[in-house]
Amino acid sequence: MLSHMEFGKISNIERVNWSIPEDVPSSMSFLNTLPKNSPTKYFIGTPAWAHKEWIGKIYPAKTKPTDFLHHYSRSFNTIELNTSHYRIPSADQTKKWLEQITPDFLFCPKIFQNISHYDSGLMDKKLHQEWFSFLENLKNHCGPSFIQFPPSFDYTKKALLFQFLQSWPKTFPLSLEFRHPSWFANGKIIPALEKYLQSRKIGLVITDVAGRRDVLHTSLTSDFTMLRFIGSNLDPSDFTRSQAWVERLNHWSQNGLQ
């Protein structure tokens, strides 16, 4: 069974079709309805800052673990906050993080697994309020939360999904990451869901990984998108893929992605 960090990883990538799906016409039409008030902002980061192997490379020599986030935020301007998937950070913990980061840094918290991975959690208003309190503690450093549904969460759960989304406040940007193929069709999210998410401006996570090309899509449902780019240990394909995404994101930027 694959862990979340190993999702879609395969040992032999020689036959992988790395192409990005074509633009979805309905998504491009949606983008063109959005206001184009300012240039697109790009936020680049990783899933964690606690990497001892970065000492002497990304972090200065002899950096202490307690200073990792300080130096991380000077090299990247966002993070996919994985720690919040395993527990909801306390107010004290969050305050310590905010003291270390740069003014424009954003946390993109992965929603607590007791919410995302259980039907009861998706309906647990008390647990949701604990999550929203955490987001409030992040203040202006709160980027989009994203909910990573388990591989078993398929289209038959659509009623549960819509109940959860209807209870999500507009105050906090949200993005959805699906892993079951029933949510996808030919490089796009299923049309009925796309239309609903666009009406709410709820985003979608795009996952680009070698072993699950079925979940790679180009549907856009908000003025932002989240791209989870999972590399292959610096294989040459990582660099050609990166360039392809630069070109695609530039195109979306020109059409209204903020």
Side-chain angles (χ1 to χ4, degrees), residues 27-40 223 250-258:
S27 290
M28 299 309 295
S29 297
F30 167 74
L31 271 192
N32 285 314
T33 67
L34 299 176
K36 301 172 178 60
N37 298 325
S38 58
T40 306
D223 61 354
N250 182 54
H251 175 64
W252 292 348
S253 171
Q254 294 171 358
N255 282 273
L257 189 71
Q258 288 298 295

Side-chain angles (χ1 to χ4, degrees), residues 95-106:
K95 183 175 181 291
K96 290 177 182 177
W97 288 342
L98 298 187
E99 291 170 351
Q100 298 180 63
I101 58 175
T102 57
D104 62 344
F105 189 86
L106 291 182

Side-chain angles (χ1 to χ4, degrees), residues 10-117:
I10 54 177
S11 56
N12 188 337
I13 61 173
E14 290 181 5
R15 297 187 179 182
V16 174
N17 177 1
W18 294 113
S19 61
I20 303 172
E22 295 296 319
D23 287 337
V24 179
S26 53
S27 290
M28 299 309 295
S29 297
F30 167 74
L31 271 192
N32 285 314
T33 67
L34 299 176
K36 301 172 178 60
N37 298 325
S38 58
T40 306
K41 295 179 181 178
Y42 289 93
F43 292 87
I44 298 175
T46 75
W49 63 72
H51 292 294
K52 292 182 179 179
E53 66 271 23
W54 287 359
I55 297 174
K57 298 176 182 178
I58 294 174
Y59 303 154
K62 300 181 180 180
T63 297
K64 298 177 181 178
T66 52
D67 295 327
F68 281 176
L69 176 57
H70 169 89
H71 294 293
Y72 176 94
S73 72
R74 271 80 183 159
S75 293
F76 304 98
N77 58 356
T78 192
I79 190 161
E80 174 192 309
L81 190 64
N82 264 314
T83 188
S84 58
H85 186 62
Y86 301 104
R87 68 181 189 283
I88 299 178
S90 66
D92 287 343
Q93 180 64 75
T94 305
K95 183 175 181 291
K96 290 177 182 177
W97 288 342
L98 298 187
E99 291 170 351
Q100 298 180 63
I101 58 175
T102 57
D104 62 344
F105 189 86
L106 291 182
F107 292 93
C108 293
K110 185 186 291 187
I111 291 178
F112 184 40
Q113 61 184 351
N114 286 10
I115 298 174
S116 63
H117 281 51

